[in-house]
Amino acid sequence: MIFPETSRTFKASYKCLSVSMLPGNERQDLENGGKIIMPPSALDALTRFNVEYPMLFKLINAEKDRHSHAGVLEFVADEGNCYLPLWMMDNLLLEEGETINIESVSLPIAKFSKFQPNSVDFLDITNPKAVLENALRNFACLTAGDVIAIKYNKKIYELSVLETKPGNAVSIIECDMNVEFEAPVGYKETSDQNEDNAQDDPQQSHVMEEVVETFKGSGVRLDGKRKKESQLDAPVIRKVLPRGVPDYDYKFGVLTFDRGVKAISDRIPEDNTEAAASAKDNFQGQGFSIKNSNQ
């Protein structure tokens, strides 16, 4: 039923049905978005009232004192009926066949909105901001306090609209809107557990150490210098980062080759006399010249 008005405001009451009840409905996209389907008589009345474009409407459930906002997708509903997405009916606490009041409104252009996923499964999406931006193309407006539903990879994700600016209801048609995400419901408990584990063992969450055993036994240096026992017996400790954790100590443009050997400047100079004596002990016997002495 359409109520006559002297102003430019359109008001009407319809029987509310879900889009799955639309006769001859074989389209799967009607549930994806925030737009409703109204009867042809509503278009005639809107034209007479000279309602501004885009056509936006306030949906009111007077019995439950609930309201939301939506755009219109088509004017093909049966007279007296109005078809809504199921998630919108849940927000308005409406059952099939109950009465809904609809009136035309003018909403400010959105500047900011904040969402909170109702499940941590939303974090499995590679680029959630891009997915949300693509899904909002099927919406005409947003209302703070609503829980919207978007479909991605054959799965339905629910997000609560926590905040909208510059008003509690905004138009998102042809606008530049900043979007923020609150931590999903249930994510905070998992995060606290990870922080507790990191406090108990900070090395485990960031850097692990691996002991590399060096060759055991005796050895002889080719340059004749005396061998230091610490060079063979002392184990080498190497820093190992867990998989997926970057090395935050890395310096751009610097290649580090860690072999567990001290720099030349840190080595202790040794006595040449002792080195020569060590060389004599290691190499004994008579030497021969390859060159023929008769030539």
Side-chain angles (χ1 to χ4, degrees):
M1 178 184 297
I2 300 176
F3 300 98
E5 293 286 340
T6 56
S7 63
R8 299 172 60 183
T9 302
F10 167 85
K11 290 186 178 181
S13 285
Y14 297 104
K15 182 170 69 173
C16 177
L17 299 171
S18 62
V19 291
S20 60
M21 302 293 291
L22 184 66
N25 177 27
E26 297 179 355
R27 297 164 53 182
Q28 301 295 328
D29 61 330
L30 297 181
E31 286 283 357
N32 303 330
K35 298 180 180 180
I36 63 177
I37 298 177
M38 302 176 68
S41 60
L43 178 60
D44 296 337
L46 289 166
T47 304
R48 293 196 306 269
F49 293 154
N50 294 324
V51 174
E52 298 179 357
Y53 288 86
M55 294 182 180
L56 303 177
F57 302 93
K58 183 177 182 180
L59 313 180
I60 304 171
N61 182 359
E63 295 183 359
K64 301 293 180 62
D65 193 22
R66 302 278 293 187
H67 73 274
S68 183
H69 296 81
V72 59
L73 182 63
E74 296 176 352
F75 294 93
V76 295
D78 298 333
E79 290 299 331
N81 295 340
C82 181
Y83 296 89
L84 278 67
L86 185 59
W87 67 264
M88 194 176 294
M89 293 181 61
D90 292 339
N91 283 327
L92 295 171
L93 304 178
L94 285 168
E95 300 292 339
E96 298 283 351
E98 291 186 348
T99 302
I100 182 173
N101 299 325
I102 299 179
E103 61 182 54
S104 61
V105 293
S106 179
L107 300 178
I109 302 298
K111 299 296 182 182
F112 170 82
S113 60
K114 189 174 185 179
F115 299 88
Q116 181 181 31
N118 287 0
S119 172
V120 294
D121 295 341
F122 190 72
L123 298 178
D124 297 335
I125 301 176
T126 304
N127 192 343
K129 195 170 185 179
V131 171
L132 178 62
E133 179 181 356
N134 183 65
L136 290 181
R137 295 178 181 177
N138 298 322
F139 288 72
C141 50
L142 293 173
T143 305
D146 278 359
V147 178
I148 65 174
I150 63 175
K151 186 176 181 181
Y152 179 72
N153 281 348
K154 299 181 180 180
K155 189 173 182 179
I156 303 298
Y157 298 92
E158 293 185 343
L159 295 93
S160 299
V161 184
L162 300 182
E163 185 181 358
T164 57
K165 293 181 180 180
N168 292 330
V170 291
S171 171
I172 60 173
I173 298 177
E174 296 182 358
C175 69
D176 294 329
M177 179 177 63
N178 295 325
V179 176
E180 287 187 4
F181 287 100
E182 187 72 17
V185 176
Y187 176 77
K188 186 176 181 180
E189 297 179 359
T190 305
S191 177
D192 290 341
Q193 293 176 358
N194 294 336
E195 291 178 1
D196 294 339
N197 295 334
Q199 292 177 358
D200 295 338
D201 190 3
Q203 295 292 336
Q204 182 177 1
S205 60
H206 297 288
V207 178
M208 296 185 296
E209 292 183 349
E210 178 182 6
V211 178
V212 180
E213 294 289 342
T214 57
F215 293 101
K216 297 182 178 180
S218 60
V220 179
R221 293 177 51 148
L222 296 179
D223 57 2
K225 296 181 180 181
R226 180 172 297 179
K227 171 182 66 67
K228 292 183 178 180
E229 297 297 332
S230 59
Q231 291 180 350
L232 292 177
D233 298 339
V236 178
I237 300 178
R238 183 176 61 186
K239 183 176 68 173
V240 179
L241 293 174
R243 184 176 180 181
V245 177
D247 185 3
Y248 294 102
D249 298 331
Y250 171 75
K251 296 181 180 180
F252 181 77
V254 177
L255 296 179
T256 303
F257 299 93
D258 186 6
R259 298 293 186 268
V261 180
K262 292 183 179 181
I264 297 176
S265 59
D266 298 335
R267 297 177 183 173
I268 302 175
E270 299 179 359
D271 190 0
N272 294 332
T273 304
E274 295 180 359
S278 178
K280 291 181 179 181
D281 295 338
N282 296 332
F283 299 96
Q284 299 179 359
Q286 184 178 2
F288 296 92
S289 176
I290 298 177
K291 184 178 180 181
N292 191 350
S293 57
N294 296 329
Q295 296 180 358

